Each structure stands twice: as structure tokens, then as C-alpha cells.
Amino acid sequence: MKQELDYRNKFILAPMVRVGTLPTRLLALEYGADLVYTEEIIDWKLLRAERRINDVLGTVDYIDTTDGTTVFRTSPEEKGKVILQIGTASVERATAVGQMLQQDVAAIDVNMGCPKDFSIKGGMGVALLYDLPRAKAILEGLVRSVTIPVTCKIRLLPNIDDTIHLARELESTGISAIAVHGRTKTERPRDPVNEAAIARVAEALEIPVIANGGSQSIMRRNDILKFAKKCGTSSVMVARSAEWNVSVFRPDGPLQLEDVIRRYLTLSVRYDNSPSNTKYCVQMMLRSLQESPIGRRLLDSQTMQQICDIWDLGEYCRQTQLTYHDAGIKGRRTCRPRYLSGNENIEVDEIECKKLCLNVVGNGDPVIEENICFIRANFTKDTELPKTKLFMYARRNELQLAQYDVIQKDKLFKAFIYFDGKRYSSTFWEKNKRYAEQAAALVALLKLGVERREELVMDGAMMMDTKEETIEGLPCSFKPEKPS
């Protein structure tokens, strides 16, 4: 049976690349949005992901099997309100994605408005507006193959009559609504939005039209209503205004940015959002304040703990991450390559990884390991880098210099050090060769007594080992607060 979703009279968070992840979507709903779109996710990224129930977070995760990153995460709080936007140029891939995710999202939207070169060269985004047969085939395939509503998001064509003809053709595929960005593919946010053109499209169609592109004039919820009236629609999709301050949806007016950032960070920690994505979203909120002292601190941050420390949430972050770690959450710290190079049919398990390591380091001597990652922001001077410290240690003690070996599997790297008759490595697989070598050097320095475990924990480079361990007053028994 086909499910339905009412697109009329809705305040909607627009799809925004890198912004529309779970914390932002939940915050938009909390502040008064009715529906929230994910960021655009390319079809093949979803198709190579595995669906996993995350009991620790209470979420459903789609995990990239090549590097362990989260492609899409959703929680019960947004059930029935989250719409997946996909980038696609293929009927087969689009329908496969739809069937794969329809149990976890309220609807699927096809991006037909992105003007970026990446999308256009791949036949996606706004390129579909100039390939109507393909655009219709994708929508028709989705409408036939899934039980949830299907929509699309378009831009204006240079001629309004051509835009109306296009919209009617797309409507004929059976989609439930269409979002219209009131600019052409060559126009940018600084150009005025064509409200009259959106109104012409809305008048010509039977299905709901969602107006988009009015962020230059939107500062609060009442401005959203004014924009809807000018566009002749009952629903509005808000992008940049929400990116800058998502409390724009609040009926009582937007909140101070400081309060919004703190709430956003709380949700990011609660739902184990990636530090890089969290940092990007906060930077977008700060805008011109990125050059302020607080903005410079954010720019220098690399871990979630470092970001949260700026807004006095560092302790909450540390304790929450420790709780998740003890509960066995499958994050980057437990990521392993999925396949052996050259044979994608053989998965690499923990035993296979150890065999691989022995082959690299040679004679079978035991490898001394710790789960330590290298965080560049922790080392403000090149003279303080782990490899440099290990070099100086060898010189002072008249020892042979360390020898480094690195293996690469999929997109991940692991380094091994032979130093003073012992072998060292981190169990953490890094995303580049240089970081892998620095992480292995940190392990050696820790075991040699040059680095202190307490400082590495405080810097976010490693986790405490057991639930009983306490370091400098940081208790391990802690339950993260639920978002209020």
C-alpha cells in the first residue's frame, strides 16, 4: 500500500550538502520545522553501504563498507518527517536505493537542481532538466517501485513557459510534490530570487509546489510566511537561513547563535556525529565570526572534544564518547579495511589483519599496540611532532633511527615502527600514510615514557581502557543525557 505525506502548509529544512545530517535535522524539527531533507547523497554511496541497527545510539545507520564512515543516520525522533534526497542519473540505481531505504525514510526526493560541475558531468542535478526523458524515467521508476512518496527539486529554466512545461511533464510521472528553486542554473544566491516565476509554476500544477531560494529575505518564521505568499505556495523550503541559524523556524523568534551552537553540539555528541561535519556546520553558523578568536579556535580544532571545549561542553563530550566506546559502538576507532587489495571477495577480519601485520613487520616479533590516533591540531610546532620527538630521542640516547613500514588496504593506512629492538603500531587505521606513521610514533613514545597516557586521553588521541579506569578525575561510569 502506498504511503502518503502531506506537503501542504509545511516549513521545510532544505537539502544542503554537509549540513543536512542528523543533528541539524533534529534541531530543525525541535525548533518548528515540519519536514527535513537530508543532504544530497549520491546513489552509489548508498548502494555500497550496509544497514545496521545501532543499539548504542538508538539509530539506524548506513555504513560505507570501504572505510567505516556513516553515509546516512536516522533516529526515531524524525520518523515520518525525514526525506532522503538522492543524486542520480540512473533508473536502476535510483530504484535500488529507493527499495533499500524506504523503510527508514518518509519519502525520496531526486535532486534536479544542483548546478555544481560534479553533478552536471555525472548527468545528475540540473543536467536532468535538460534530459527530460531520463528525468521522467527515474521518477516513474521510483514511483512504481517504492511505497513511499517520490518528489523532485528543480531550478527555473531561462524561459518561464519552458519551466511550466517541464514541471507538468514531471508531475505526470506520479510524484507527490515538486520543489522549485527560484533561480536558473547560472544564477547564484546573490542574484534575486524570481518569486513570480515560482508562483506561475504553482498555479499551473495540481500537486503541491514548495518554494525555495528566499533566504536573503528570511530572518525569522514570519518571513517564511511572507515568502510563501509572494510565491503563491503554502510550503517553503529554507536553506541558507537555516544553515546560519536553524532556530529561524521558531514561532517565538530565533535564538541567540551561542545557544543554538551549544544545542547543536549536544546533539552532535549525543548522536556521534563526525568531528569534521560538526566543525563545518558550526563554521557555517559563525559566518563572519570565523575570523574572531572563537572562530580561530574552531579552525584549529580537529576532534569533537576540542570543538566542544570552546563552548564548555568538553567534559560532556569526553564522558559520552567513553560511554559509547565501552558499550562497543562501531565508530572510526574500530574501523578495519573490508577487503584485501586486489580481491574484493575476501573480507579482512581481525585475524587476517594480524597475519597481514606479521608479514609486514617481518620475523614474527610481537607488535606493541595501543589504540592511538594522530590529531594534527594537537601539535602546533613541527618540532613537537611524534616522529620528530622519536628522532630526537634516538639521537640523545645514541640509538639507531626508527624504521617505518606502512600498509594500505582500501582507503586506510597502518604503520609499523621498528625501534631499539621492538615493534610498535596503533590499532587505529588512519586515512593517510603520514598520519599512520605519526600515530605509530606516538605509541612508541608512550611506551618509552616520553608521552603521558593522561595527556593523550585529554587531547582525544586515545580512550581510557576500561570502565574501572579513572584519569585525573574523569569517571568512566556515565550515561549521556538525552536531548531535551
Side-chain angles (χ1 to χ4, degrees):
M1 175 181 287
K2 284 282 186 181
Q3 302 174 33
E4 294 184 359
L5 185 63
D6 187 1
Y7 286 90
R8 290 181 170 84
N9 300 304
K10 295 293 188 292
F11 294 87
I12 302 169
L13 178 71
M16 291 178 282
V17 173
R18 298 185 68 185
V19 174
T21 47
L22 182 59
T24 301
R25 299 197 307 266
L26 291 178
L27 199 52
L29 291 171
E30 185 177 308
Y31 287 146
D34 300 299
L35 299 173
V36 289
Y37 280 59
T38 70
E39 61 178 334
E40 178 196 22
I41 307 178
I42 306 304
D43 51 18
W44 56 262
K45 279 193 174 184
L46 289 162
L47 292 176
R48 76 179 185 190
E50 281 184 354
R51 183 182 189 270
R52 297 177 187 170
I53 302 295
N54 191 325
D55 292 324
V56 178
L57 297 180
T59 58
V60 174
D61 300 345
Y62 286 82
I63 305 297
D64 188 324
T65 55
T66 66
D67 62 9
T69 56
T70 303
V71 179
F72 172 60
R73 170 170 287 157
T74 184
S75 72
E77 288 84 356
E78 63 177 0
K79 188 172 180 61
K81 299 176 181 179
V82 60
I83 297 164
L84 171 69
Q85 187 184 69
I86 62 172
T88 187
S90 164
V91 178
E92 293 75 18
R93 289 197 301 270
T95 54
V97 167
Q99 292 169 347
M100 180 181 176
L101 278 93
Q102 62 181 328
Q103 62 186 312
D104 296 316
V105 296
I108 292 181
D109 182 81
V110 177
N111 184 349
M112 298 185 180
C114 180
K116 302 294 185 183
D117 285 344
F118 169 79
S119 288
I120 294 174
K121 289 177 181 177
M124 302 178 292
V126 76
L128 289 173
L129 300 186
Y130 297 87
D131 189 353
L132 186 56
R134 184 192 297 267
K136 290 181 65 175
I138 290 171
L139 294 177
E140 287 169 348
L142 277 169
V143 170
R144 284 195 308 268
S145 62
V146 300
T147 59
I148 56 178
V150 176
T151 63
C152 66
K153 183 172 183 288
I154 69 170
R155 279 180 173 253
L156 299 174
L157 298 177
N159 183 288
I160 183 57
D161 292 330
D162 292 339
T163 306
I164 292 172
H165 171 74
L166 170 74
R168 283 174 172 163
E169 287 293 309
L170 298 177
E171 179 183 40
S172 71
T173 64
I175 57 175
S176 299
I178 186 169
V180 180
H181 184 117
R183 295 181 180 87
T184 66
K185 73 173 185 177
T186 60
E187 292 176 326
R188 293 297 176 259
R190 63 180 178 273
D191 296 313
V193 61
N194 193 335
E195 296 158 342
I198 299 175
R200 289 277 307 276
V201 176
E203 185 180 9
L205 300 188
E206 297 294 328
I207 59 174
V209 170
I210 304 165
N212 175 233
S215 283
Q216 288 182 347
S217 62
I218 293 175
M219 300 293 292
R220 56 200 309 117
R221 188 181 177 100
N222 192 50
D223 295 330
I224 303 175
L225 292 171
K226 291 178 181 176
F227 180 63
K229 186 175 182 181
K230 290 179 181 178
C231 295
T233 68
S234 64
S235 296
V236 172
M237 181 178 281
V238 183
R240 291 180 183 271
S241 292
E243 176 183 85
W244 299 329
N245 188 335
V246 72
S247 68
V248 70
F249 292 108
R250 288 183 79 245
D252 297 332
L255 297 172
Q256 292 294 316
L257 188 60
E258 186 85 1
D259 296 330
V260 175
I261 291 175
R262 285 178 58 84
R263 182 61 183 147
Y264 170 78
L265 290 176
T266 301
L267 288 170
S268 293
V269 172
R270 163 68 181 85
Y271 288 101
D272 195 34
N273 199 46
S274 76
S276 60
N277 180 252
T278 301
K279 177 179 177 178
Y280 176 83
C281 290
V282 176
Q283 285 180 306
M284 294 303 100
M285 296 182 210
L286 288 177
R287 299 174 70 192
S288 62
L289 294 177
Q290 290 187 50
E291 295 303 320
S292 68
I294 201 168
R296 299 304 301 178
R297 283 186 66 189
L298 177 64
L299 184 64
D300 291 336
S301 300
Q302 191 171 341
T303 69
M304 189 68 81
Q305 292 178 25
Q306 292 168 339
I307 297 169
C308 288
D309 278 335
I310 301 171
W311 281 274
D312 300 320
L313 290 168
E315 183 68 6
Y316 168 74
C317 177
R318 276 184 282 274
Q319 298 291 7
T320 303
Q321 289 186 336
L322 180 61
T323 300
Y324 290 164
H325 179 70
D326 289 339
I329 194 169
K330 299 295 183 183
R332 269 286 290 123
R333 286 188 177 272
T334 57
C335 179
R336 298 290 183 271
R338 182 172 175 80
Y339 299 113
L340 287 169
S341 291
N343 190 342
E344 294 194 350
N345 295 315
I346 304 177
E347 292 195 19
V348 177
D349 60 15
E350 192 169 343
I351 295 175
E352 197 63 54
C353 278
K354 289 182 178 178
K355 289 180 182 177
L356 212 61
C357 299
L358 291 175
N359 290 336
V360 170
V361 299
N363 60 15
D365 289 346
V367 179
I368 300 170
E369 292 185 311
E370 290 279 355
N371 190 231
I372 296 177
C373 63
F374 173 71
I375 301 169
R376 185 62 179 88
N378 287 343
F379 304 92
T380 56
K381 299 178 181 178
D382 289 347
T383 55
E384 298 174 349
L385 290 168
K387 288 181 67 175
T388 305
K389 283 187 177 180
L390 191 58
F391 175 87
M392 298 304 296
Y393 180 92
R395 288 297 192 211
R396 284 195 306 269
N397 293 278
E398 298 182 347
L399 301 171
Q400 287 189 346
L401 299 182
Q403 299 176 17
Y404 293 83
D405 285 305
V406 180
I407 59 173
Q408 177 184 359
K409 297 299 165 188
D410 296 330
K411 302 176 183 177
L412 301 174
F413 295 81
K414 188 178 180 72
F416 301 87
I417 293 178
Y418 181 76
F419 182 69
D420 195 24
K422 295 181 180 179
R423 302 180 187 279
Y424 303 93
S425 183
S426 173
T427 61
F428 186 96
W429 288 73
E430 295 280 2
K431 290 190 174 183
N432 69 56
K433 177 178 180 288
R434 292 179 294 107
Y435 279 23
E437 291 178 339
Q438 298 285 6
L442 268 178
V443 175
L445 292 171
L446 173 65
K447 296 303 182 182
L448 292 168
V450 179
E451 293 286 347
R452 295 176 62 240
R453 183 178 295 267
E454 293 86 350
E455 291 179 358
L456 291 174
V457 170
M458 291 300 294
D459 287 341
M462 67 184 302
M463 303 289 288
M464 288 181 270
D465 289 333
T466 68
K467 293 181 180 179
E468 288 75 30
E469 184 177 2
T470 302
I471 292 180
E472 292 188 355
L474 298 181
C476 290
S477 56
F478 172 80
K479 286 188 176 181
E481 298 175 2
K482 291 184 177 180
S484 58

